[in-house]
């Protein structure tokens, strides 16, 4: 089948790669001309495991191309995916200007029979708005161009794997014809066992927000427990292990730490809350989830202050800057929020990340970055582990201790074996667990 993709960012590019990989003909386009220029020569706009090879294979096989012209992505397409950003407005409401603009461009070049699939995360009711816009813009094809909802569930850092082996594919549509097009499109995945869930459009739109809000809620639940465990002298890792062993709860997303960040959870939570209140329902739980998430940064900051006292003449090293491992995405990254707070209190902050240093400095030009974890830690009074990259498991605490000004380690992700750090003279501050002190470990 022929597929067009509007917006070749974190979601759009994976959409291009995965559909080309299963044999569809795909054309991607983006309003950012430099992105298309780079992609056309095989350069990737961001780090995501396996994507560069997959994109290059699609292009070499003649199934994938990129164009500046939306018309090239729409002409002869069976389905065009809208994968543009949906940032939050100051009110929390999702800003759908890019979605509308992208859809207008698509509709301008559309022929009868086209399916426009929303992959961007949008509030329930957006497809109805788009359908009304189509009718106003192109009365000649209104009724034969259908808008469907096909939310994306990929996880950055595992995005290509998730797109190639989806746990579920969700399609919301209003007609058998539109469902049929989407079934044929996803047949290479469903024939391998992927589950296709079909709903009406508003249900599909709402389900995406419901999933993200619930995942954020699990993280905040673990973080609220962490605060409680710190006060009670209990161990949050053991508590969440007990919880996770219950199949009704499950272990995923019960990790206490610096909290969630990234492009999706923070904005999707406020957009969902905004949608609820616009429909007359006060979904106060969502605001509490966000408050507990903010509190996770405060709690980590307090550990640094507890260990170092005044921060004005202190140097703090942050290990990990990406909002999570496996990506160079620093949008709403907890590490960068912590960096900002530490600087406001007078500390000198230096960061290290195996992949996200460049994007971190772009986002926060005042941030100093170092080429290795050890260079970041040199002369530092405290190290804070902010993103649980695997390489931090291998930290040499002997070496770290020798180059630091004082041996203080705050584990903002409970990723490190504290006993190992303490054995090298470190004062070790985990999250939601008892701090460890040399001689008293
Ligand atoms: P992104 O910022 O990485 O990519 C968006 C792309 O759209 C950019 O390249 C931008 O230049 C382009 N764009 C903006 N307006 C355009 C227009 N009018 N025409 C053509 N291109 C345009 O964003 P993303 O992370 O890919 O997210 C896209 C959507 O998918 C959002 O709604 C997001 O919530 C949702 N989503 C994201 C993820 C994720 O993990 N990043 C996962 C699931 C869903």
């Amino acid at each position: 089948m022929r597929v067009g993709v509007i917006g070749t960012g974190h979601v759009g590019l994976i959409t291009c790669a995965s559909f080309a990989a299963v044999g569809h003909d795909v054309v991607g386009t983006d309003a950012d001309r430099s992105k298309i220029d780079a992609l056309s020569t095989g350069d990737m706009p961001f780090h995501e495991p396996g994507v560069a090879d997959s994109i290059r294979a699609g292009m070499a096989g003649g199934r994938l191309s990129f164009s500046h012209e939306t018309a090239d992505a729409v002409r002869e397409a069976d389905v065009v995916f809208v994968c543009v950003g949906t940032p939050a407005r100051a009110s929390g409401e999702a800003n759908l200007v890019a979605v509308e603009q992208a859809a207008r461009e698509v509709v301008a070049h559309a022929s009868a029979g086209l399916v426009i699939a929303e992959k961007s995360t949008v509030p329930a009711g957006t497809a109805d708005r788009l359908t009304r816009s189509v009718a106003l813009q192109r009365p000649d094809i209104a009724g034969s161009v259908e808008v469907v909802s096909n939310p994306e569930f990929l996880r950055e850092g595992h995005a290509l794997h998730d797109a190639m082996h989806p746990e579920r594919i969700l399609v919301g549509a209003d007609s058998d014809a539109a469902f049929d097009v989407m079934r044929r499109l996803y047949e290479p995945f469903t024939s391998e066992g992927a589950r296709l869930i079909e709903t009406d459009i508003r249900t599909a739109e709402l389900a995406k927000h419901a999933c993200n809000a619930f995942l954020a809620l699990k993280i905040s639940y673990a973080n609220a427990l962490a605060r409680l465990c710190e006060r009670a002298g209990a161990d949050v890792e053991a508590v969440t292990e007990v919880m996770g062993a219950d199949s009704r709860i499950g272990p995923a997303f019960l990790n206490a730490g610096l909290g969630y960040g990234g492009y999706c959870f923070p904005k999707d939570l406020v957009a969902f809350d905004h949608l609820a209140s616009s429909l007359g329902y006060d979904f106060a739980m969502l605001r509490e989830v966000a408050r507990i998430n903010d509190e996770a940064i405060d709690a980590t900051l307090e550990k640094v202050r507890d260990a170092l006292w005044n921060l004005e003449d202190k140097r703090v090293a942050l290990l990990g800057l990406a909002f999570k491992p496996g990506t160079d995405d620093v949008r709403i990254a907890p590490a960068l929020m912590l960096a900002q707070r530490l600087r406001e209190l007078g500390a000198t902050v230096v960061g290290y990340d195996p992949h996200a240093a460049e994007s971190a400095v772009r986002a926060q030009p005042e941030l100093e970055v170092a080429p290795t974890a050890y260079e970041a830690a040199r002369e530092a009074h405290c190290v804070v582990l902010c993103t649980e990259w695997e390489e931090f498991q291998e930290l040499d605490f002997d070496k770290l201790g020798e180059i630091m000004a004082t041996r203080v380690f705050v584990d903002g992700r409970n990723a490190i074996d504290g006993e190992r750090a303490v054995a090298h003279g470190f004062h070790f501050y985990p999250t939601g667990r008892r701090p460890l002190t040399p001689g008293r470990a």
Side-chain angles (χ1 to χ4, degrees):
M1 293 175 81
R2 291 181 179 274
V3 176
V5 175
I6 314 299
T8 53
H10 290 78
V11 165
L13 199 54
I14 307 302
T15 304
C16 289
S18 57
F19 283 127
V22 297
H24 295 312
D25 292 313
V26 184
V27 180
T29 184
D30 198 289
D32 181 345
R33 296 183 71 83
S34 64
K35 213 172 251 187
I36 295 301
D37 290 338
L39 285 167
S40 302
T41 58
D43 283 345
M44 295 302 116
F46 50 82
H47 169 78
E48 181 64 45
V51 174
D53 286 347
S54 176
I55 292 287
R56 288 180 199 130
M59 290 168 78
R63 291 181 308 282
L64 173 60
S65 63
F66 296 97
S67 169
H68 291 300
E69 305 304 326
T70 307
D72 292 337
V74 177
R75 200 181 301 123
E76 297 175 29
D78 299 290
V79 184
V80 173
F81 285 95
V82 174
C83 303
V84 300
T86 49
R89 293 183 190 275
S91 62
E93 184 184 10
N95 182 337
L96 300 175
V97 170
V99 170
E100 187 190 353
Q101 279 170 352
R104 283 189 71 80
E105 284 261 327
V106 172
V107 170
H109 303 287
S111 329
L114 178 69
V115 170
I116 301 175
E118 301 170 335
K119 245 193 194 309
S120 300
T121 303
V122 292
T126 304
D128 288 353
R129 293 265 6 164
L130 288 175
T131 303
R132 282 162 58 194
S133 316
V134 175
L136 283 178
Q137 190 186 343
R138 291 284 305 273
D140 57 319
I141 52 168
S144 76
V145 168
E146 294 217 40
V147 180
V148 305
S149 168
N150 178 213
E152 181 54 62
F153 294 106
L154 63 77
R155 300 163 300 163
E156 285 183 31
H158 305 269
L160 189 62
H161 173 272
D162 291 351
M164 296 305 296
H165 308 282
E167 281 185 329
R168 80 292 209 196
I169 299 158
L170 174 57
V171 174
D174 271 350
S175 77
D176 286 342
F179 276 126
D180 188 51
V181 170
M182 297 304 282
R183 279 179 210 135
R184 283 191 288 125
L185 184 73
Y186 277 108
E187 193 279 333
F189 301 94
T190 50
S191 64
E192 294 288 317
R195 180 177 175 203
L196 176 65
I197 302 176
E198 298 181 354
T199 68
D200 63 80
I201 298 180
R202 282 173 181 244
T203 301
E205 290 171 327
L206 197 141
K208 170 63 191 177
H209 270 141
C211 289
N212 276 4
F214 191 75
L215 292 172
L217 181 148
K218 282 189 90 176
I219 294 171
S220 280
Y221 192 83
N223 277 325
L225 289 178
R227 302 291 82 79
L228 195 57
C229 286
E230 281 163 6
R231 286 161 174 77
D235 184 329
V236 77
E237 291 294 311
V239 172
T240 53
E241 188 184 344
V242 173
M243 291 175 65
D246 184 330
S247 61
R248 295 169 301 177
I249 300 173
F253 279 71
L254 280 180
N255 305 319
L258 263 172
Y260 59 76
Y263 185 52
C264 294
F265 288 3
K267 77 168 174 57
D268 289 349
L269 211 67
V270 288
F272 201 27
D273 184 31
H274 193 278
L275 173 78
S277 88
S278 73
L279 296 171
Y281 180 69
D282 181 12
F283 209 156
M285 182 195 284
L286 300 180
R287 297 192 291 283
E288 188 57 11
V289 168
R291 187 194 64 74
I292 293 168
N293 197 55
D294 292 344
E295 198 178 68
I297 305 258
D298 299 337
T300 307
L301 189 63
E302 272 320 300
K303 292 188 175 87
V304 177
R305 296 181 75 180
D306 181 49
L308 302 188
W309 196 11
N310 297 306
L311 292 183
E312 277 83 351
D313 54 350
K314 306 282 166 46
R315 190 175 173 87
V316 179
L318 304 185
L319 300 191
L321 301 169
F323 86 93
K324 66 171 177 176
T327 176
D328 61 356
D329 197 344
V330 296
R331 293 179 286 184
I332 322 282
L336 295 194
M337 293 162 84
L338 182 65
Q340 176 72 29
R341 299 280 300 280
L342 285 163
R343 269 197 306 271
E344 282 164 11
L345 291 169
T348 301
V349 181
V350 53
Y352 163 73
D353 191 286
H355 287 284
E358 217 175 286
S359 44
V361 171
R362 255 199 316 275
Q364 214 174 75
E366 58 278 38
L367 183 71
E368 193 184 323
V369 291
T372 66
Y374 301 103
E375 283 310 307
R378 189 175 293 283
E379 297 303 323
H381 296 83
C382 169
V383 161
V384 185
L385 189 146
C386 298
T387 314
E388 64 277 35
W389 287 98
E390 225 171 279
E391 69 172 58
F392 298 143
Q393 299 287 334
E394 310 299 323
L395 276 177
D396 178 341
F397 281 98
D398 206 17
K399 185 169 166 185
L400 207 58
E402 273 172 22
I403 57 178
M404 288 178 69
T406 54
R407 298 182 187 209
V408 177
F409 198 105
V410 176
D411 187 354
R413 296 291 177 187
N414 284 344
I416 298 288
D417 173 8
E419 304 288 348
R420 216 159 61 76
V422 173
H424 290 93
F426 274 82
H427 294 252
F428 187 79
Y429 292 78
T431 303
R433 324 177 79 174
R434 203 164 51 84
L436 302 177
T437 310
R440 286 199 285 132

